[in-house]
Amino acid sequence: KNKTKITWKELKEHTSKDDCWIALHGKVYDVTNFAKAHPGGNIIYEYAGRNATDEFEAFHLPRVQRRLPAYCIGTLVDAPKELPSTRDYRDLRRKLWKEGWFEADL
């Protein structure tokens, strides 16, 4: 599975527990084997065949992104255009993480 370019149509064909792909930040990940051990349980299957960027960002610490390359199988080449509000939300979230706003103050 060394594809480099994956179409939106192709991504949407991989939606089962036996064949589960998700898109994050324009990259496509085959999480079929990982999903069985996903710490968050079966919720990962809700995003099979979809762009799960914002859902991923909402429930994972930034450090989890370091684990993603092992599952990357290509780049999504024809995803729907990102809305400016979506881009702004993502930029703000990254800024707040960097500034420590999500750190617990115990």
Side-chain angles (χ1 to χ4, degrees):
K1 294 182 182 180
N2 290 326
K3 295 190 105 183
T4 55
K5 295 182 181 180
I6 297 169
T7 65
W8 187 252
K9 181 178 183 235
E10 187 176 7
L11 171 68
K12 294 194 306 183
E13 293 171 357
H14 300 271
T15 60
S16 72
K17 288 185 177 185
D18 296 321
D19 186 20
C20 183
W21 291 8
I22 60 172
L24 303 170
H25 299 287
K27 300 280 186 190
V28 178
Y29 301 87
D30 182 346
V31 296
T32 306
N33 293 325
F34 169 77
K36 296 171 182 85
H38 181 246
N42 289 336
I43 191 71
I44 193 169
Y45 296 115
E46 296 294 319
Y47 304 102
R50 296 177 41 197
N51 178 359
T53 299
D54 294 318
E55 293 82 357
F56 178 86
E57 294 289 336
F59 294 103
H60 298 85
L61 295 171
R63 69 176 182 246
V64 175
Q65 289 190 18
R66 293 190 304 246
R67 298 180 184 167
L68 295 177
Y71 303 98
C72 186
I73 57 171
T75 302
L76 193 57
V77 293
D78 62 348
K81 189 171 172 85
E82 182 181 82
L83 296 172
S85 58
T86 300
R87 185 180 55 250
D88 292 346
Y89 161 76
R90 292 175 184 168
D91 289 346
L92 177 60
R93 187 173 189 284
R94 273 190 294 277
K95 178 181 181 231
L96 294 175
W97 267 108
K98 190 179 269 188
E99 292 177 0
W101 286 98
F102 297 111
E103 298 289 326
D105 186 14
L106 301 176

